[in-house]
């Protein structure tokens, strides 16, 4: 792990746990599933969109990866929230921390940031 990842190790651990809790056991071996979860979690530490930090060509590639390895999370992301925002929102909800600015996404002023297009 790099210095940033070490400083944020608890965050990575929480993200990996979230991903593993929603993994499809039939998607691959336990080692493969864990590796994918760890790579996604580490990429969440990046400054760009998650698909960019994973070096994918588009968000569609990330969504395909998520659909294969973590279909239960895809099902939860029914409104197609940007993946990094969605994963962190899931972590907050697990801890019963509701820090959103509005009672629902539909009325939130940040909706374009969470659900808008992801420009390269």
């Amino acid at each position: 792990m790099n210095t940033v990842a070490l400083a944020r190790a608890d965050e990575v651990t929480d993200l990996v746990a979230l991903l593993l809790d929603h993994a499809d056991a039939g998607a691959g071996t336990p080692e493969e599933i864990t590796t994918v979860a760890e790579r996604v979690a580490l990429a969440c530490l990046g400054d760009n969109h998650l698909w960019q930090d994973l070096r994918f060509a588009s968000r569609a590639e990330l969504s395909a990866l998520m659909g294969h390895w973590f279909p239960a999370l895809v099902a939860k992301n029914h409104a197609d929230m940007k993946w990094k925002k969605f994963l962190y929102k899931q972590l907050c909800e697990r801890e019963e921390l509701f820090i959103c600015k509005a009672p629902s996404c539909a009325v939130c002023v940040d909706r374009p940031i969470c659900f808008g297009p992801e420009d390269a």
Side-chain angles (χ1 to χ4, degrees):
M1 263 193 228
N2 64 28
T3 307
V4 172
L6 285 173
R8 296 170 66 185
D10 288 345
E11 186 177 330
V12 172
T13 299
D14 290 345
L15 285 163
V16 169
L18 172 71
L19 291 162
L20 292 178
D21 286 348
H22 293 86
D24 177 358
T29 67
E31 295 80 15
E32 291 169 329
I33 295 167
T34 299
T35 297
V36 173
E38 288 171 347
R39 291 191 182 178
V40 170
L42 286 169
C44 283
L45 303 180
D47 294 329
N48 300 307
H49 293 296
L50 184 54
W51 64 269
Q52 293 169 324
D53 289 328
L54 284 166
R55 299 177 188 245
F56 288 143
S58 69
R59 184 170 187 264
E61 288 183 18
L62 171 58
S63 292
L65 174 134
M66 296 298 286
H68 177 77
W69 296 97
F70 314 107
L73 279 174
V74 173
K76 282 186 169 185
N77 191 8
H78 55 82
D80 201 29
M81 181 180 275
K82 294 175 185 175
W83 280 111
K84 194 182 297 186
K85 288 193 176 288
F86 176 78
L87 293 173
Y88 280 93
K89 186 172 187 285
Q90 293 299 302
L91 289 181
C92 289
E93 288 178 5
R94 277 185 160 199
E95 296 298 319
E96 297 183 359
L97 299 172
F98 301 101
I99 58 173
C100 292
K101 294 180 178 181
S104 76
C105 292
V107 296
C108 183
V109 296
D110 284 341
R111 183 170 176 77
I113 296 168
C114 296
F115 295 94
E118 296 184 50
D119 301 323

